[in-house]
Structures are given as structure tokens and as C-alpha cells.
Amino acid sequence: MYDPKAEYKWNDYWREHKLFAFKKDDESRPLFVIDTPPPFTTGDLHIGQVYWIMYVDSIARYKRMKGFNVLYPQGWDTQGFPTEVQVEKKYGRDMSREEFYKRCAEHATANIAVMRGLMLTVGASFDESLEYVTMSEQYRRKVQLSVLEMYDKGMVYRAEHPVEWCPHCGSSISREEAEEKEVQTQLNYVSFKLKDSAGALEIATTRPELLHACVAVAVNPSDERYKALIGKKIEVPIFGSEVKIIADDSVEKEFGTGAEMVCTFGDKQDISLYYKHGLKLINSITEDGRLRNAGKYDGLALKEARKAVLERLKEEGLLNKQEHITHTVKVHDRCGTPSEFISAMQWFMKTKEHADRIKEQARQMAWIPEHAAQRLYDWSNFIEWDWNISRHRVFGTPIPFWYCKGCGAIVAPERSALPVNPALTKSPVSSCPKCGSTKIEGETDTLDTWVDSSITPMVIAGWPDDQKLFRRAFPNSMRIQGTDIIRTWAFYTTYRTWALTGNKPFETIIAHGMILAPDGREMHKSWGNGLSPMELVEKYSIDSMRLWVALSGSPGKDKPFSIEDVEHAKAFLVKLHNSALFVKNAIADEKLPAEEPHKSFNVFDLWIMNRLNQVTKEATDSYDRLDLYGAMNAVTNFYWHEFCDYYLEDVKHRVYAKDGEGSKRAALFTLMHVLQTSLRLLAPVIPHAAEEVNSLFSQESIFLSKFPKYAEKAAPADYIINGLIFKSAIVEMDYEEAGAFANTIVGNVRKAKASHKIALNKPITLININVPDAYYNTVLSVLKDIREICKAGDVKVERSKDYSVSIQI
Ligand SMILES: [Zn+2]
Ligand SMILES: [Zn+2]
């Protein structure tokens, strides 16, 4: 019986023998370079991560067996929100910046150790000596250098700009950190007095607390109700300021009264109107979510401010009505707080003007599945602003600049000084080179973590220090990543590597979907439908999970997890192990012939070896397309349903024959050849099981052997062993067809025995076979074998129009 516990020892064996080390100085073999996601250091692996780890490891193992020098490192994305949130939960925030940083680093280091262990447990064969950690001094130096190089090219700038902001976390957040949420709120109808004529205009707003930042009232130019008012002046209630009525197509006539106030900034539309119409800027909210520039309302939190402003409007008789509505707001995905737009000095990378170049680079990569690229194109087509790369955090790579408080000039460090922390160290110059001011501030913000992770393909290829390796290893051969981070990780990586090298980051990118819960929904702790991948590994074995990964179909799809599929995978491993034990017992003390025993092969031998050649070809083609499903579907079906279900039964009588004549030795040779070849076809995906079975026959790791060869068949009656073609004249037809036909007869006799309710191994008197002309000679050539396989006293064959089989007990 296959013992899953035996799997673990092979992980240790491979590591002890350093079987998977990258040999940097070996230039004789082609390189295969793999960029994998550096996970956030959460301290655990979720099932989606275990999926890609198993997937990419199988590819790495295949490529090694094909003779590639595989560069396969694993890195860790340590910095940013997730770590800070966890550390804050554990220790609070009542400590110095340095102390908090130290705690975050310790937390990340401890989690890396756990997660690395889990990855190695599931068989990941990355080279540990190539590991990178984004918080390390070495990695930070590279990140800062990459930012500096882009600054030199004019692609990094500092500017005041509205940014999406979380008032709770006190930091800007990126577009993808903002989630949509439906909330109940009130739509307030407020009267604005017209300035140069009598009367008022009624506007509707969900954000009355931003009244003080109202810089215009907007209507749709085609709205007949308001046409005459466009360009007129109007007074903002309570605050008394004068603003213009402007016209813009983006105003929805049907929403509220069709007239809306424009504040800096209530929402995204406000920002676009602000830019489009050149409106005034009133900074309305502080970084911690309180009113500013609001006179006596200054300092009020947003909720209190809303109450106070509405009360005052009521008192003045300007609040005409209130309506309950449901609408969508953006909330910060980490804390659930509604995000705001505030205007602040931020650092940016120029993405907007380079969108077309990014798409052009993406088009030069092969995408698996092909349609995944569309997500990147769609995202690129709707870039509204440049990439805001500053974060108001502690645990992050410092933005490597100082700036002049007088004129805003930027001071960059010397490259040789990197990594720098401008929050702690003095500017390299004592006065501003532009205006002479001595007020030079070090930037205290840190970089968005995507800035760290968007240079991974360059870093793993040796950039910037090992140019010799870099020329060989960049672009990388492949990356695997989730479809959910195409618009971030894939997008930013493509942009940054193009900006820094002028090149695409990879030849191929595999975008995998999500593993859903068995009920077809996303896995959620609160829904109780989550699955622990390590518990599954424990229960079903590592390789059952790995085979499930391969057989679960194309990687691009979201797929519900299915226990039945894992059980099926496990059943295959049991079958593999049991059939190998049969072969081992069959061989026992027999000496296998040193050469192929050509003269003694029968139709069944040549059939299974030809099928093996065909399956080797299918598997190779699939592996080369990085398609594990195609490879494993072909090999497991062949092994289970042709080799085990038929061939093992077909040869038992020869294996158990007392004398070691040619027929027996040919059978043993064939058994051994098919088993060993199949093991090597399977080894990349089920390395532990393959190694365990291989150890029954050999002292040497299966990963030191080459991936099997195959040959294209020249003529139907050729047969192929180990990629070599031989001529044979046992039958004149294709061996795949001849063997399949012979097995059909065997199968029909089995069925007939079953319908007579006699055991399969019980002797019968006679088998009658009627067979069409085309198969007559083939059947003649296997008569003796069929008699033995089916334990029949005699077999009679007659030519006939139709095929049929009957037996006599
Ligand atoms: Zn937040
Ligand atoms: Zn200056």
C-alpha cells in the first residue's frame, strides 16, 4: 500500500543532495528562469498559493529533466499594510517609529520561516540560496536604485494631487485597495440662492458636510430646466461664497434635481470636473478625516460635521427635503473605512502617458490563457492618473529623496550611498541648489509595495550587479501569478521593466484563477467554507494534491475545489505503487536482458510500447506548452487504463512461466520499460511518489535521469522503444490498432465469463472468434497469447463479415 508518510523523506533527501541548485557558472545548458509571486508574509499559505506553488514547481522539475539550468528562486513581500496591521494588533502602536519598524521586521522574519517550511513541505524545489526579502538592505538598495534611475529619466515626480485616502489608517491607498460597498444614506435637497437674480436653484447632495469646499454647481448642458442659468453666479449656503454654474455632460439629469455641487473633493467626478474646468482648490479634509478651511466647523469629524451642517441648513430654511437612498461608496479594503479624496504632496510615477508602451510590451509576451492579457489592456485603457507611489507608512522602503521646503526642488542621493533613509539621515547637500534655502527635508513616506515587487524579474536575473547573468536571464522565461493581480503586479512589472530596460519582463506569463470553495463561492472565514491546504496535504498526501492541481484543468479558470478529484488522484498513486510492486515481484531475481529482446516481443508488448511512445509525445508537447493538465491527463489515463487494466493482465501467464525463455524475458523487459518511462513522465508532477517507486529499482534519484524521448513513426508496422524506431513483421498493421483489437477480444471473453458467472481466472474449454479479413492475420498472431490470457483449452478463429466472440465453458 502506498504510504503518504514516505513522501516527506524525499523533501529532505533532495535538499541534502542539493539536487535542484542553480548552477550559475554552467553556461553549457540553456537557462529557464522562473519568477514566482513573493507572498505577503502572513504566516500561512492559502489554497490558492499552494496551487501555484505546486504548478510552478512541476514546471521547474520538468525543465530540469529536459536539460535546462533552472533559475527558480522564491522571495518574500514583507512590507506594507498587512504586516503593520498584524503587528499593531499584537503590540499596539504606542512606541517609536524605529521600535515599530523593528517589531514589523521580526514579525515578517518569523512568518517567512513558517511559510518557507510549508512551501518545502509541498515539494517546492526552489533554490534557497537565491531567496530575496523585500525588507532586506540589499533588496531596498535595488528598489531605490530603480526609482532613482526612473527619476533620472524624468518618470518620477512630486506634486500636490488628489489622492484616495483612508482617514482611519492615515495613508493614501491605491485604486485596488479601495473596495466598493453599498450603504444607506440620505440625499439632501438644498437651496442655493442665485446671485444676480431672484430665486434659487435646488441641488441634491449626499455630502452636505463638504459644503464649505463647494467650488461650482454643475448641470447637464442639455437640461432644458437649467440652460438659462449656465454661467450665472450662485451663493453657497452658510458659507456665503460665490461660485459659478457650469455645464458638463457627466452630470446625470435624472439624479436628484439634476444640479449638483462640485466640492474639492467629494468623489471622483469632482476631481475630473476640477481639472476640466480649472476650478479653485479648497482643501476640505485633514489626513485624519476632520474638516479644514470650514471656519467654525474646523476640526469636526466628518460624521459630526454632517449633522451640524444639516442642522444649520434646517434652521435657515434651506433644507427642502431628505430622501433615503442606497448608493455605492469606496471603502478601504483593510479597515472598511470609507475612503476620501484629499489633496496632498505625493510622489508619482508617470504611467498615464506610457500606457501604449505598456500594452505594446504586454503584447510581446505569451499569455496563458490568452484572454488574460485583455485585463491588462482594459486597465491600461482607463488610466486616469499617474501611479501614486507614496504611502504614509513606517514599514516600507523609504522614498529615497529629500526636498527643499522653499522651492520644492528635489535632492537625490548618490547611488553609492544607497540604501538611504531620508527620514533619519541628512540631505547630501546643505542648501538647495536652486534657491539656496537651507530648509531641506528628508521624505518620511515610504514606497507603495508594488514598487518593491515590480522589479522581481530583474532582481532574480542578477540586476544590477551581475550583468553577465542578467544578459542571459532577462527577460525571464516565465512568471506565474493570479488573474486578480494582473492590473497591479503584471501591469506595474511590465511598466517598470520597460522603463528600466526597454524590454518585456518575461517570455510567458501564466495567469491562474481562484480556487473556490466546494460550494462554488469564494472561500471566506466568515462563511465557514474555507479549506486548509496543509490539512488536505496531511490527509490525502502531498502528491494527491499535486496531481489534483495538474488534473484540475486549465489554470486560467476559477475552479471549485473537489474532494472527489483529490481522492481520485490518491487512488492513482495507490495504483501506481501496487503495479510497481507487481513488476518488482515479477522481476525478482531474474536478470533483465541487456539488449531489447526484439525477437521475443509479441503484439501486446509492441502495442504497449507504441502507445507509450505516443503518450510520451503528447506529454512532452503539453509540458512544453506549460500545460500540466494535458500531460497528466494523457499519462495517467494510459498508465491506469491501458498498462494496468490490460497489459498487466496480458503478461501474467508469461511472467509466471517457470522457465526463463525469450517470451518471459521480453515481458519483463516491457514491464520495466513502460514503468520506468511512465515514472519519468509523471515525476515532475508527483515527485515523491515517483521517487519512492523508483527507489524500489534504483539507488539513484529519478531527477538525475533524463526526460523520456519519443519518435515520430515512419510506417504503421514500426515499433518504438525509448525513442528508437525498429522494423517488425509480426503483423502488417499498426501496433496500436492491433494491440487494441487483441485487447478487445480479451475484454469480450472476460465479459462472457462474467455473464456465465465464472471467475476470470477459471479455465474454459473454447473461445470462438469470428473476425473480418483485415484482422484475420493479426488474430492468428495472438491466438496462443489469448488462449493463455483467458485460460482457454482452445481458440478457434474464422473469417466473417462481422466480428463476434463466444465461449464454451
Ligand atoms: Zn484604512
Ligand atoms: Zn529650494
Side-chain angles (χ1 to χ4, degrees), residues 404 406-407 409 432 435 437:
C404 168
C407 72
C432 173
C435 75
S437 163

Side-chain angles (χ1 to χ4, degrees), residues 697-729:
F697 303 92
S698 164
Q699 297 294 311
E700 197 181 72
S701 168
I702 193 165
F703 291 102
L704 293 173
S705 59
K706 291 248 159 57
F707 198 78
K709 290 180 293 198
Y710 67 87
E712 303 284 352
K713 227 167 19 160
D718 290 349
Y719 66 93
I720 301 169
I721 305 174
N722 216 7
L724 297 173
I725 301 175
F726 301 93
K727 301 275 169 204
S728 165

Side-chain angles (χ1 to χ4, degrees), residues 591-621:
K591 273 213 182 110
L592 285 180
E595 281 179 26
E596 288 89 8
H598 295 279
K599 278 187 187 141
S600 306
F601 288 137
N602 70 10
V603 170
F604 293 95
D605 302 333
L606 300 184
W607 160 70
I608 199 74
M609 286 193 285
N610 272 13
R611 284 290 304 135
L612 179 67
N613 181 68
Q614 184 57 28
V615 165
T616 303
K617 177 174 154 45
E618 282 174 42
T620 307
D621 290 350

Side-chain angles (χ1 to χ4, degrees), residues 166 169 332 335:
C166 174
C169 298
H332 184 203
C335 69

